[in-house]
Amino acid sequence: MNRSRTLPVAVVSLTAATALLLTGCGGGDDKDSGKDKIAGADGGGAKKSASPSPDASAASKIDRPEMNFPSDVDLTFDKVNLSDTDQVAAWNDAQNYARAIEYGIVKQDAGDAGYKFYSEIGSPAQSYAKKQIKDHIDAGYTVTGERRYTDVKVQTVTKQKTIAVTFCTNDNKLFGKEVKSKKVLRTKPSIKDYSSWQISMTASTKTKGLWRADLIKVEGESQECMG
């Protein structure tokens, strides 16, 4: 979806400290995956666990908000091989956070429980999600079609006790749809369909096994994601 033709491109700028936390985690080809790693970070799949952690078991028992999408909306995530159970849980909930943004748009509800559940209260990630949903509501648009999430990388940032998740989004098959008329606003594929995402995931202190988005940076028109 060429969002910029219907809505302003939303970019959340991080503070210098946040930017340093996420430096080197941008999506890209596998040949670049070993470059510019975060200081104190363990790459996804590098750390093995002998047995599932208690948090992994707890994650399956969490009472999560339901997100039932209409048949015309398809969110497709690339599969990632991770052996570290915390990284698996963080990536799963990063997906849930991303889904929750689109679900709020589909529901036309800027106060939906989904994005609030998967983001820290008052965090940049929560503000970003709310703004995305509200901008679509104010403009009278929902979405239809397929969004693909690709080039996923997951890294543990030991010093900050967080897990950094990065990926690209491809919206060339996702389109805006007018809520009232149901008219689909089809656009031709272009660089405006590609965005890079960097999300810092933090383990919940109250719900074992749950990870929430805290810091976020989204950059539109990503040449890197288009390659």
Side-chain angles (χ1 to χ4, degrees):
M1 172 186 171
N2 214 327
R3 290 182 189 268
S4 63
R5 296 187 188 177
T6 56
L7 297 170
V9 175
V11 177
V12 175
S13 297
L14 307 184
T15 62
T18 304
L20 284 173
L21 167 65
L22 294 171
T23 295
C25 285
D29 295 335
D30 289 340
K31 63 184 179 182
D32 295 324
S33 63
K35 298 179 181 178
D36 301 325
K37 287 191 176 181
I38 303 174
D42 299 320
K47 184 178 178 182
K48 295 184 178 180
S49 298
S51 58
S53 70
D55 284 357
S57 177
S60 64
K61 301 177 182 178
I62 296 171
D63 184 16
R64 300 171 182 272
E66 289 187 9
M67 291 187 283
N68 298 312
F69 285 86
S71 59
D72 67 328
V73 178
D74 185 16
L75 306 180
T76 305
F77 294 81
D78 276 3
K79 292 183 179 180
V80 186
N81 293 321
L82 300 170
S83 56
D84 180 88
T85 52
D86 284 338
Q87 289 185 354
V88 170
W91 166 230
N92 285 340
D93 283 338
Q95 292 178 67
N96 286 327
Y97 168 73
R99 285 191 189 96
I101 296 174
E102 299 308 304
Y103 189 62
I105 292 171
V106 168
K107 281 190 66 181
Q108 296 283 286
D109 183 2
D112 184 65
Y115 79 85
K116 292 180 179 179
F117 187 82
Y118 292 110
S119 60
E120 292 289 336
I121 296 174
S123 67
Q126 190 162 104
S127 297
Y128 173 80
K130 183 176 182 179
K131 178 170 172 38
Q132 283 286 286
I133 298 167
K134 188 175 185 303
D135 283 352
H136 280 77
I137 294 171
D138 291 346
Y141 296 116
T142 182
V143 294
T144 185
E146 179 189 14
R147 165 178 272 189
R148 292 190 57 221
Y149 299 78
T150 64
D151 299 327
V152 180
K153 292 180 177 60
V154 182
Q155 293 182 312
T156 301
V157 186
T158 307
K159 290 182 180 179
Q160 283 82 6
K161 296 182 180 179
T162 61
I163 291 178
V165 175
T166 68
F167 53 83
C168 294
T169 51
N170 177 347
D171 288 351
N172 59 28
K173 293 182 180 179
L174 186 74
F175 306 103
K177 183 170 74 172
E178 294 179 356
V179 173
K180 290 184 178 180
S181 69
K182 308 300 182 185
K183 179 182 177 181
V184 177
L185 307 172
R186 297 188 179 277
T187 55
K188 293 182 179 180
S190 76
I191 192 172
K192 292 181 180 179
D193 294 324
Y194 297 85
S195 298
S196 65
W197 294 58
Q198 301 176 1
I199 307 174
S200 175
M201 302 295 294
T202 303
S204 171
T205 57
K206 295 182 179 179
T207 306
K208 206 173 261 267
L210 174 66
W211 288 74
R212 290 190 164 110
D214 183 9
L215 306 173
I216 186 170
K217 182 178 181 181
V218 181
E219 293 183 349
E221 298 188 29
S222 174
Q223 188 73 46
E224 189 176 49
C225 289
M226 196 175 181

